[in-house]
Amino acid sequence: MTSGIPKSDPALVPPPGLPILDLDPFDYAYFDNPYPHHAIMREAAPLFWLSRYNCIGTGRYDLVVEVLKDWERFTSARGVGLVDYAKDERFRPQSMILEADPPVHTRTRSAMMKVLSPRVMRGLRKHFENVADELIDELLDREVFDGIPDLAERFPLTVFPDSLGMKREGRENLLPVGDLVFNSFGPENEIFLKSKPLAEKGFAWLEMQCRRENLAPTGFGKAMFDLVDEGHLVEREGEVMVRAMLMAGVDTTVNGIGGGIYSLAKAPDQYAKLAENPDLARDAFEEAVRWISPAQAFFRTVSQDTELAGVHLAEGTKIFLVLSSANRDPRKWENPDRYDITRKAIGHVGFGHGIHMCVGQNLARLEGEIILATIARKAKSLELIGPAKLRYNNTLRGFASLPLRIKAK
Ligand code: OVV
């Protein structure tokens, strides 16, 4: 995607004095065990140069936060992946919220905040709890199951499209579409290319599902079109915002819930603590978002020549922000590799930071909390009984399979 750009472009040449890292943060070996690579990135220097992708990166908490805070110097409007929209082709129509700066972003973000407000979340709790109750009872009967398809995928794939007011037919397209969109923030590698054919028909289908005539008379979709009727958005913007919710809200929560279950299964002492006090479920989920970082990394683009951590950065330079590394930066976190549900995980960047911080975070937390609390109330043990298998994605970290056994209290 970046081929064909002349090497004389200052944005594509390493600033003097930066450590040059040859590692590929988008290959299978990296994903198999990213943690030693994170340490290399963090310890090399505050900023490093990725020679394979001609961009700057940082894995340090303070710098990740500094860049995410400063949307004027570090723009999202040129894409939050490796591709620079000022130079290269967009893979999909540009998002009016994720890939936008104020003032465009302000209006779309405020619409999304209204649709996903804390009041709306409170109204969903009872229904989510009922769905979780039924699902966990069924899994307790089975005792042995796969924590990904049977739980981490099933729960959000039920409650989320239902709350949005989406039709039942075709929902199996949601995961492959999300998988491809999140791959598209990285390079056109094998992981990206493999996810393409599975999602192709899903895109056309998704486009149709975002129209008002295909949405239920209640739910997030309807709420978005109420904002259209009130004059806050035009019809097409309403559709694009519904589409954004569906692209951003499924795979992320699947990986968040899967990550939460994995974290607890790997730390029996922490599960015991949670089983004793299920009120800790919200904290257990938050700590899992820090520990796993379902959204591993995003990019920003330098909007004008500037300086960061004493380094001159040319306009157009891409900055790779390793959220997962920041979430385990020992400069910020005590014993960062330990999953500890009583830790004050607040301040982690698993949902990002600043004006683009995950707009669905309260929905994600509601789903995560309810699933973990329901397991904790009903199951005395949660055990991994086979190898956890990763699902490779250029942006998202999560599992394809988690063989589990749970025993009723
Ligand atoms: C965070 C995210 C993921 C995917 C799509 C979008 C946002 C969007 O705004 O379209």
Side-chain angles (χ1 to χ4, degrees):
M1 280 190 250
T2 49
S3 62
I5 296 166
K7 285 280 185 257
S8 61
D9 186 339
L12 297 177
V13 174
L18 273 200
I20 296 181
L21 301 184
D22 180 45
L23 64 89
D24 183 354
F26 298 101
D27 73 2
Y28 296 106
Y30 177 92
F31 293 135
D32 281 336
N33 187 10
Y35 305 107
H37 301 290
H38 291 168
I40 290 168
M41 293 191 278
R42 276 192 309 260
E43 300 318 316
L47 296 176
F48 54 83
W49 183 260
L50 276 185
S51 58
R52 296 186 188 227
Y53 298 108
N54 287 334
C55 66
I56 296 277
T58 183
R60 296 221 187 151
Y61 178 85
D62 57 347
L63 273 171
V64 165
V65 168
E66 188 179 338
V67 171
L68 289 176
K69 268 198 170 117
D70 198 340
W71 57 266
E72 284 176 291
R73 282 201 299 159
F74 306 112
T75 175
S76 289
R78 289 166 75 164
V80 297
L82 191 54
V83 166
D84 182 355
Y85 288 177
K87 297 173 183 162
D88 302 308
E89 236 176 86
R90 292 155 185 75
F91 156 78
R92 58 175 190 128
Q94 186 163 351
S95 167
M96 295 184 68
I97 180 163
L98 178 74
E99 299 159 335
D101 297 331
V104 174
H105 168 268
T106 314
R107 204 163 45 92
T108 49
R109 170 90 187 188
S110 125
M112 208 69 114
M113 302 253 279
K114 278 189 197 133
V115 168
L116 299 169
S117 71
R119 191 179 53 81
V120 176
M121 296 303 111
R122 282 194 292 279
L124 295 171
R125 177 174 284 273
K126 194 77 218 134
H127 171 60
F128 283 22
E129 284 174 348
N130 291 340
V131 174
D133 255 1
E134 220 176 279
L135 177 55
I136 301 303
D137 283 346
E138 181 198 313
L139 296 175
L140 280 165
D141 279 346
R142 283 168 59 184
E143 275 195 13
V144 169
F145 60 94
D146 191 323
I148 301 304
D150 300 336
L151 177 52
E153 290 180 358
R154 230 173 113 192
F155 184 66
L157 272 175
T158 307
V159 297
F160 181 69
D162 278 353
S163 317
L164 192 134
M166 159 178 245
K167 285 190 178 160
R168 292 210 166 270
E169 312 84 67
R171 289 181 182 187
E172 68 281 0
N173 288 307
L174 288 171
L175 282 172
V177 165
D179 191 40
L180 178 57
V181 169
F182 282 97
N183 273 332
S184 76
F185 301 126
E188 271 194 2
N189 56 10
E190 185 182 284
I191 295 172
F192 169 85
L193 293 171
K194 275 188 168 167
S195 67
K196 247 181 148 173
L198 290 170
E200 228 118 65
K201 76 169 191 339
F203 271 88
W205 165 84
L206 188 62
E207 202 49 54
M208 295 304 294
Q209 303 319 306
C210 301
R211 298 200 182 164
R212 73 162 84 209
E213 65 266 26
N214 289 323
L215 294 162
T218 59
F220 307 142
K222 162 77 164 106
M224 195 60 82
F225 283 100
D226 286 345
L227 296 176
V228 173
D229 294 340
E230 289 162 23
H232 299 286
L233 302 170
V234 302
E235 189 77 14
R236 182 64 194 143
E237 290 169 341
E239 293 171 3
V240 166
M241 286 298 99
V242 172
R243 187 183 62 197
M245 275 193 269
L246 286 165
M247 284 179 171
V250 182
D251 296 57
T252 45
T253 48
V254 167
N255 287 307
I257 292 169
I261 295 163
Y262 174 79
S263 307
L264 287 165
K266 291 291 272 188
D269 62 322
Q270 299 301 303
Y271 185 72
K273 216 180 268 183
L274 182 62
E276 205 166 286
N277 184 5
D279 289 345
L280 292 173
R282 207 164 170 93
D283 295 339
F285 181 71
E286 201 68 34
E287 168 68 346
V289 175
R290 180 196 72 84
W291 194 68
I292 297 272
S293 300
Q296 295 265 282
F298 278 106
F299 291 80
R300 291 293 184 265
T301 312
V302 175
S303 53
Q304 64 223 205
D305 283 24
T306 190
E307 208 169 276
L308 178 66
V311 177
H312 177 81
L313 301 181
E315 180 272 320
T317 306
K318 280 279 175 178
I319 310 185
F320 178 53
L321 302 170
V322 193
L323 308 175
S324 45
S325 167
N327 278 342
R328 292 183 181 217
D329 184 348
R331 292 162 192 78
K332 164 74 181 173
W333 308 99
E334 211 171 290
N335 214 346
D337 294 327
R338 182 171 152 71
Y339 174 71
D340 175 359
I341 68 173
T342 57
R343 177 197 297 277
K344 300 266 168 292
I346 201 81
H348 71 76
V349 288
F351 288 119
H353 188 89
I355 66 166
H356 289 280
M357 188 174 178
C358 179
V359 75
Q361 58 186 282
N362 291 322
L363 182 57
R365 289 192 179 105
L366 185 69
E367 291 181 26
E369 176 205 327
I370 288 174
I371 271 298
L372 298 187
T374 308
I375 298 171
R377 272 194 292 111
K378 292 172 184 267
K380 66 170 183 246
S381 63
L382 169 70
E383 242 185 301
L384 200 55
I385 53 167
K389 246 183 74 199
L390 284 171
R391 171 168 288 148
Y392 296 101
N393 181 281
N394 283 336
T395 302
L396 300 176
R397 181 164 188 81
F399 298 93
S401 173
L402 286 179
L404 289 176
R405 181 188 294 131
I406 55 176
K407 290 229 164 85
K409 275 184 177 170

